[in-house]
């Protein structure tokens, strides 16, 4: 493509516009989050017409590594960023009405050049057996991000014997390797590794393994939890349940994320995501596993709901949210599954006939008023009273009725098709968590405990349709909670045997975000509190406040295993220490946690364990 640079610029512009519009469309960043939404689309025809020339290979770099995500049985999203600078595009602009093409207004430097990128995906690490490849363009309009999926199957090629064959996309449950390069040059990215999902109807030949994360706070701690999974290299896919970034200013800890202020504008969110994607442990994990992500509040703002957050509301909040959403879709390797739905991130993944994974958005799509102000709405400036007034209102929803209807359909369809497990990724803790005082009042109305009717409708659906083997995965709370899914006061539940439970919830702690009762809080006091909570809540089987970390989930036909790992001290140093804190099993058809002593020998190394003992690590 560099040869075009010798042409006259007028002819060049016309040639490029004509020759490359389809290649621009190959870059999904232009249609994320929604090409057809008036305030979130980029008018691609304007972008194409404006481009006068291409960056030379010397002018651009792969500034933020590579990533893959949202695997299907025949395709996967590949991501990179090819840019003239590590910094994000300096736009103070916040989407309003039709998004204008980037034209250098408001202090930014106009940029008329495009970057041309090619990619290949192959079955071998040396990239000899290429099964798909393509070419695309990126510009300042999308912060030079590149997002592609299987676009152009190779029409016809030859094998070693000269036999012609046609490549038809990726094979299920198969490892692939991929690489980007600057068009017509040998400037290349790292080689990445990724994996497709098992085919929907396929009997999966072995357990499928996940690492599950939430709440990765760059200034507060090192991402040792990411590094350990990369080092062990024993899983298939990474799930991140939100708070992948934090929006607030923090220059008081280990490292200062850019920009050094709270994020409001499109530039702010792009730059913040870019800062996180300089962490080498996160980059390594992205380069070897496909991620499946959903956002929580801090991808936009603390304790956000559909129309506001802890510290912003009205138009300020809504513009901020649109900027955050747009940056998220540019920077994260995820699919937009519905081009007509502005904020839809909730989506389903079929994992053979072993499981369906439903990733929910309980935060930004349609969440009704949550607790803001004070501390989770309590204390001066808090709105806890307003929320308590409506907490059991039947019209109240955490998911939005559109998503609720979809979710109930997914649960039923998954059960009817005979998928063995239903895995549900949700941001906030689902189970009732009472304080043990004031009639066991819930301690955090920002979780499902603040949206009782929505939770009741889920239990009702599971009951009405006899849906078994449901496992909920949650994050958000910066602590670990393992519970039976007990519909307290609505269906009998035996805490000793688990009889009456609908399934199991595994809620994991943070990668590095502190828990008020963890960091700088003596472990023995954390344990006492855990003991109190476990005894106050019959369905809560294990709880720990002290450790940062993650959990691994192994899904097989006969059982699901969860292993919770604690990172001793991510606050001060990078290291590979981790402690296996507790292990749990769920046997198919039992809809409850297996009881001790089958569970990890009936021993945990932190927090408090019902029906078992806790020993020092
Ligand atoms: Fe968090």
């Amino acid at each position: 493509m560099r040869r075009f640079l010798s042409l006259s610029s007028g002819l060049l512009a016309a040639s490029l516009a004509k020759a490359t519009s389809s290649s621009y469309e190959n870059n999904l960043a232009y249609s994320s989050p929604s090409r057809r939404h008036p305030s979130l689309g980029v008018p691609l025809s304007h972008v194409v017409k404006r481009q006068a020339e291409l960056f030379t290979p010397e002018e651009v770099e792969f500034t933020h590594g590579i990533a893959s995500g949202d695997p299907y049985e025949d395709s996967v999203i590949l991501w990179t960023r090819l840019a003239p600078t590590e910094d994000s595009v300096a736009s103070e602009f916040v989407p309003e009405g039709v998004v204008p093409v980037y034209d250098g207004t408001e202090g930014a430097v106009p940029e008329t050049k495009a970057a041309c990128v090619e990619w290949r995906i192959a079955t071998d690490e040396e990239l000899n057996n290429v099964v798909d490849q393509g070419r695309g363009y990126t510009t300042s309009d999308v912060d030079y991000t590149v997002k592609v999926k299987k676009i152009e199957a190779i029409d016809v090629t030859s094998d070693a014997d000269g036999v012609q064959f046609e490549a038809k996309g990726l094979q299920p449950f198969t490892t692939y390797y991929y690489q980007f390069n600057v068009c017509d040059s040998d400037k290349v990215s790292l080689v990445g590794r990724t994996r497709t999902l098992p085919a929907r109807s396929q009997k999966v030949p072995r357990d499928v393994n996940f690492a599950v994360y939430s709440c990765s706070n760059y200034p507060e701690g090192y991402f040792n939890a990411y590094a350990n999974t990369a080092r062990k290299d024993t899983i298939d896919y990474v799930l991140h349940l939100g708070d992948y970034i934090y929006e607030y200013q923090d220059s008081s800890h280990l490292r200062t994320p850019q920009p050094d202020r709270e994020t409001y504008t499109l530039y702010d969110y792009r730059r913040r995501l870019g800062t996180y994607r300089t962490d080498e442990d996160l980059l390594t994990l992205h380069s070897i596993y496909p991620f499946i992500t959903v956002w929580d509040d801090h991808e936009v703002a603390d304790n956000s709901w559909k129309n506001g957050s802890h510290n912003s509301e009205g138009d300020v909040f809504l513009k901020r949210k649109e900027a955050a959403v747009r940056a998220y879709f540019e920077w994260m390797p995820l699919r937009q599954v519905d081009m007509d739905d502005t904020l839809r991130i909730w989506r389903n993944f079929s994992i053979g006939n072993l499981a369906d994974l439903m990733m929910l958005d309980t935060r930004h799509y349609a969440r009704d008023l949550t607790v803001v102000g004070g501390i989770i709405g309590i204390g001066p400036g808090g709105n806890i009273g307003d929320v308590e007034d409506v907490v059991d209102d039947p019209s109240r929803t955490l998911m939005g009725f559109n998503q609720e209807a979809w979710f109930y359909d997914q649960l039923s369809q998954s059960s009817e098709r005979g998928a063995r497990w239903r895995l549900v990724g949700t941001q906030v803790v689902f189970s009732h968590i009472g304080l043990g005082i004031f009639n066991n009042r819930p301690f955090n109305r920002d979780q499902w405990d603040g949206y009782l009717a929505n939770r009741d409708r889920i239990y009702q659906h599971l009951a009405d349709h006899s849906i078994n083997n449901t496992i909920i995965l949650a994050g958000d709370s910066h602590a670990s909670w393992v519970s039976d899914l007990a519909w307290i006061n609505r269906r009998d539940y035996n805490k000793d045997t688990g009889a009456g439970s609908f399934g199991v919830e595994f809620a994991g702690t943070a990668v590095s975000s502190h828990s008020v009762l963890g960091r700088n809080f003596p472990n023995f006091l954390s344990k006492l509190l855990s003991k109190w909570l476990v005894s106050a809540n019959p369905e809560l089987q294990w709880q720990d406040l002290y450790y940062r970390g993650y959990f691994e989930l192994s899904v097989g036909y006969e059982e699901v295993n969860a292993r919770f790992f604690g990172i001793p001290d991510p606050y001060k140093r990078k290291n590979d220490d981790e402690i296996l804190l507790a292990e749990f099993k769920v046997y198919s058809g039992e809809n409850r946690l297996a009881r001790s002593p089958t569970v990890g020998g009936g021993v945990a190394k932190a927090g408090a364990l019902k029906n078992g003992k806790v020993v020092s690590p």
Side-chain angles (χ1 to χ4, degrees):
M1 199 51 71
R2 273 175 296 171
R3 65 184 182 275
F4 284 140
L5 296 177
S6 60
L7 299 175
S8 75
S9 61
L11 178 61
L12 172 65
S15 312
L16 277 177
K18 201 168 181 182
T20 63
S21 59
S22 65
S23 294
Y24 274 92
E25 285 176 13
N26 283 353
N27 185 355
L28 300 178
Y30 288 109
S31 55
S32 295
S34 177
R35 181 170 292 164
R36 293 195 284 271
H37 188 266
S39 66
L40 289 168
V42 175
L44 194 52
S45 59
H46 295 199
V47 175
V48 175
K49 280 182 196 148
R50 192 191 62 221
Q51 299 308 323
E53 57 183 319
L54 296 177
F55 287 108
T56 66
E58 294 73 29
E59 289 175 319
V60 285
E61 299 291 339
F62 292 101
T63 54
H64 290 79
I66 51 176
S68 74
D70 275 20
Y72 283 174
E73 64 183 65
D74 60 354
S75 74
V76 64
I77 301 286
L78 306 179
W79 185 96
T80 194
R81 182 171 184 268
L82 182 61
T85 166
E86 183 179 317
D87 199 357
S88 280
V89 172
S91 172
E92 294 303 309
F93 132 88
V94 174
E96 183 177 27
V98 174
V99 173
V101 290
Y102 175 73
D103 65 357
T105 55
E106 301 186 56
V109 179
E111 186 51 78
T112 57
K113 288 183 180 181
C116 180
V117 62
E118 294 173 323
W119 64 89
R120 317 173 266 165
I121 185 163
T123 54
D124 61 314
E125 200 166 357
E126 290 72 37
L127 304 170
N128 290 322
N129 184 28
V130 173
V131 295
D132 192 21
Q133 59 190 345
R135 170 179 284 216
Y137 296 86
T138 186
T139 58
S140 52
D141 306 279
V142 289
D143 202 16
Y144 298 105
T145 56
V146 177
K147 248 165 86 167
V148 299
K149 62 176 178 177
K150 188 194 82 59
I151 300 286
E152 301 167 25
I154 302 167
D155 290 334
V156 178
T157 185
S158 304
D159 66 11
D161 299 315
V163 178
Q164 305 252 299
F165 67 93
E166 190 176 2
K168 289 187 174 170
L170 309 183
Q171 298 300 306
F173 209 34
T174 301
T175 298
Y176 288 97
Y177 300 86
Y178 62 94
Q179 187 175 45
F180 295 90
N181 64 277
V182 183
C183 294
D184 303 318
S185 86
D186 55 9
K187 188 167 215 168
V188 294
S189 71
L190 294 172
V191 174
R193 190 186 73 189
T194 189
R195 169 175 282 276
T196 49
L197 288 180
R200 186 174 158 85
S201 56
Q202 182 182 350
K203 171 124 174 61
V204 184
R206 61 167 174 79
D207 288 3
V208 177
N209 303 308
F210 301 89
V212 186
Y213 293 100
S214 61
C215 300
S216 34
N217 188 313
Y218 178 92
E220 263 203 84
Y222 291 116
F223 293 162
N224 298 346
Y226 290 152
N228 286 354
T229 293
R231 177 176 49 77
K232 290 186 291 186
D233 201 9
T234 55
I235 61 150
D236 298 300
Y237 311 103
V238 169
L239 303 184
H240 199 296
L241 298 173
D243 289 0
Y244 178 93
I245 60 167
Y246 280 77
E247 85 288 7
Y248 50 77
Q249 182 181 31
D250 187 348
S251 51
S252 62
H253 287 108
L254 278 177
R255 32 188 196 176
T256 300
Q258 297 301 316
D260 189 11
R261 58 175 177 265
E262 185 157 339
T263 54
Y264 279 87
T265 69
L266 182 57
Y267 170 79
D268 291 346
Y269 285 102
R270 286 170 164 172
R271 186 74 175 124
R272 187 59 56 89
L273 281 156
T275 296
Y276 276 62
R277 289 275 264 282
T278 59
D279 179 274
E280 59 187 31
D281 296 322
L282 176 57
L283 286 176
T284 302
L285 199 63
H286 268 303
S287 74
I288 62 173
Y289 293 119
F291 274 48
I292 297 173
T293 67
V294 281
W295 50 41
D296 195 8
D297 52 338
H298 290 283
E299 277 85 349
V300 178
D302 187 20
N303 271 28
S304 32
W305 55 290
K306 68 182 175 194
N307 290 327
S309 74
H310 182 71
N311 66 354
S312 53
E313 56 186 8
D315 280 354
V316 170
F317 173 76
L318 293 176
K319 288 183 179 183
R320 180 182 197 185
K321 180 169 168 176
E322 288 193 340
V325 166
R326 192 166 166 204
Y328 187 84
F329 271 93
E330 288 171 349
W331 277 79
M332 301 298 287
L334 83 164
R335 296 171 192 265
Q336 172 75 20
V337 293
D338 182 350
M339 283 296 176
D340 287 326
D341 197 331
T342 55
L343 291 180
R344 177 170 167 177
I345 193 173
W346 32 281
R347 59 207 191 279
N348 179 60
F349 298 86
S350 293
I351 305 167
N353 64 9
L354 176 66
D356 283 301
L357 170 65
M358 290 151 251
M359 299 293 278
L360 307 184
D361 179 357
T362 60
R363 185 55 76 174
H364 299 300
Y365 187 71
R367 170 188 278 249
D368 283 327
L369 179 68
T370 191
V371 283
V372 294
I375 297 172
I376 48 174
I378 302 165
N383 71 341
I384 187 70
D386 297 341
V387 172
E388 291 289 351
D389 284 347
V390 296
V391 75
D392 53 3
D393 184 322
S395 68
R396 188 165 159 79
T397 176
L398 184 62
M399 302 168 67
F401 295 109
N402 197 15
Q403 184 182 186
E404 276 196 48
W406 167 86
F407 181 46
Y408 305 142
D409 277 352
Q410 293 297 314
L411 287 169
S412 292
Q413 286 174 24
S414 174
S415 180
E416 285 160 15
R417 86 178 181 93
R420 184 63 61 93
W421 301 93
R422 274 138 293 286
L423 311 176
V424 181
T426 172
Q427 291 74 20
V428 289
V429 174
F430 185 82
S431 298
H432 172 263
I433 307 289
L435 278 170
I437 50 176
F438 308 129
N439 204 20
N440 209 21
R441 175 199 172 101
F443 87 100
N444 187 355
R445 294 293 195 188
D446 185 60
Q447 302 179 347
W448 283 88
D449 272 331
Y451 300 82
L452 304 181
N454 197 159
R455 186 167 61 192
D456 283 344
R457 288 191 290 271
I458 292 172
Y459 276 128
Q460 192 71 57
H461 187 84
L462 295 175
D464 288 349
H465 299 269
S466 303
I467 293 172
N468 288 315
N469 288 354
T470 300
I471 295 190
I472 292 182
L473 313 170
D476 179 72
S477 77
H478 310 178
S480 300
W481 314 81
V482 172
S483 307
D484 284 333
L485 293 179
W487 199 8
I488 300 292
N489 299 328
R490 299 290 288 271
R491 182 156 108 168
D492 287 344
Y493 168 73
N494 183 318
K495 70 179 170 58
D496 296 320
T497 65
S501 170
F502 284 86
V504 168
E505 175 171 32
F506 294 119
T509 186
V511 169
S512 57
S513 309
H514 77 279
S515 150
V516 176
L517 304 175
R519 186 175 196 182
N520 303 325
F521 203 69
N523 197 354
F524 79 94
L525 281 178
S526 286
K527 276 185 184 170
L528 279 178
L529 272 169
S530 293
K531 216 168 185 171
W532 172 268
L533 289 164
V534 164
S535 65
N537 295 283
E539 68 274 52
L540 181 61
Q541 299 293 311
W542 179 65
Q543 203 285 322
D544 175 60
L545 297 160
Y546 187 74
Y547 282 101
R548 312 304 87 212
Y550 65 104
F551 65 98
E552 291 178 352
L553 197 74
S554 297
V555 184
Y557 284 94
E558 298 312 314
E559 62 188 56
V560 166
N561 286 276
R563 292 175 295 279
F564 284 73
F565 291 94
I567 304 294
D569 186 6
Y571 300 127
K572 294 198 189 80
R573 58 193 181 97
K574 286 165 89 80
N575 65 73
D576 59 5
D577 294 345
E578 65 178 24
I579 301 164
L580 179 54
L581 298 176
E583 289 183 80
F584 301 93
K585 263 187 208 306
V586 189
Y587 293 112
S588 176
E590 292 199 343
N591 298 318
R592 60 176 176 85
L593 287 157
R595 263 42 186 179
S596 301
T598 51
V599 182
V603 173
K605 291 179 180 161
L609 179 68
K610 197 171 276 170
N611 306 314
K613 63 177 178 177
V614 174
V615 299
S616 295

